[in-house]
Amino acid sequence: MEKHSFTVTISGDQKEATEKAQAIATLASHLSAETLKALAHVVKTDPQKVALAKKFLGV
């Protein structure tokens, strides 16, 4: 599979932004584009499901 580099801006202090970028990279390397798009849609539109997921994850 080809690899591509992107420049993104992530809000937060340096440590938090780095952690977010690493988490996004991990998700992107393990999930399909279709799954990531569906996850992003849920995060944008369904706060109840996001709250449930956070509770399940313990965060």
Side-chain angles (χ1 to χ4, degrees):
M1 182 176 282
E2 294 180 47
K3 292 186 178 187
H4 302 278
S5 296
F6 298 91
T7 302
V8 296
T9 302
I10 300 173
S11 60
D13 63 27
Q14 181 68 38
K15 182 177 185 259
E16 182 181 18
T18 299
E19 289 173 349
K20 286 179 178 182
Q22 290 171 339
I24 291 167
T26 299
L27 291 172
S29 67
H30 288 87
L31 300 174
S32 69
E34 181 181 356
T35 301
L36 286 170
K37 286 171 53 178
L39 179 58
H41 177 74
V42 168
V43 169
K44 286 181 181 180
T45 62
D46 198 337
Q48 289 179 325
K49 285 182 184 173
V50 174
L52 183 61
K54 285 181 177 182
K55 185 176 178 182
F56 175 79
L57 295 169
V59 293

